[in-house]
Amino acid sequence: MRTASALVLTGLALALAPAGAAGARWCAQAGTAPEQALRCHVNRVRQHHGLEPVGPDRRLAHAAERHAADMAARDYFSHSSPDGAQAEQRVRPTGYLAARRWWLGEVLAWGAGPQRRPRAIVRAWMNSPMHRAVLLDGRYRDAGFGLVRGAPAAFDGRAVTVAAVFGRRSG
């Protein structure tokens, strides 16, 4: 039997570096939801690079979850939805952008086989200069992760689609 493995990425900014074996074990604690594991791996990388961790934000998570689900359901993979909505339009209804100043970054991925695991997704983001830049942007303090089953492509196998939205508000 042949195991299929695929990982596809796209990002609005830049990304990170491998979390290491100890970090992988620490982030894979029993009962940890995949979204929490993604944030854990991202924060391990940020810590390794001398950055503050990003905290969970339910509003950003809501926007990320909706975008990941939409991509998987409507078979597209892009920062622009078929109706033209960008990250800002997806986040605005959550109330996160009510501050005077704000920053947003978004990274996307979908993976199948071993590449669907949170650690593999973060490793791939770190190996992409654009994704690395987003993950290692010191302005970001908040993050929301959306992970849904299924892929935005005709793929016969177990896959996940991921959207991660990073943000910071001021004023």
Side-chain angles (χ1 to χ4, degrees), residues 58-149:
R58 62 178 170 70
R59 296 162 297 191
L60 295 178
H62 180 72
E65 289 163 4
R66 289 179 53 107
H67 189 49
D70 189 49
M71 288 189 295
R74 294 204 288 167
D75 196 27
Y76 73 95
F77 187 68
S78 175
H79 294 284
S80 296
S81 66
D83 59 1
Q86 302 287 323
E88 179 182 342
Q89 286 83 26
R90 290 188 290 275
V91 173
R92 188 166 300 284
T94 70
Y96 185 84
L97 303 181
R100 196 171 43 128
R101 295 178 60 195
W102 49 266
W103 297 263
L104 286 177
E106 179 179 72
V107 293
L108 308 174
W110 75 265
Q115 300 304 318
R116 75 181 188 281
R117 294 188 179 106
R119 182 177 181 211
I121 290 168
V122 172
R123 185 181 309 120
W125 282 338
M126 287 303 291
N127 288 327
S128 161
M130 286 185 60
H131 294 87
R132 182 181 183 92
V134 172
L135 294 174
L136 296 181
D137 190 324
R139 291 176 295 183
Y140 299 136
R141 296 290 184 255
D142 308 313
F145 297 88
L147 187 143
V148 298
R149 290 182 184 178

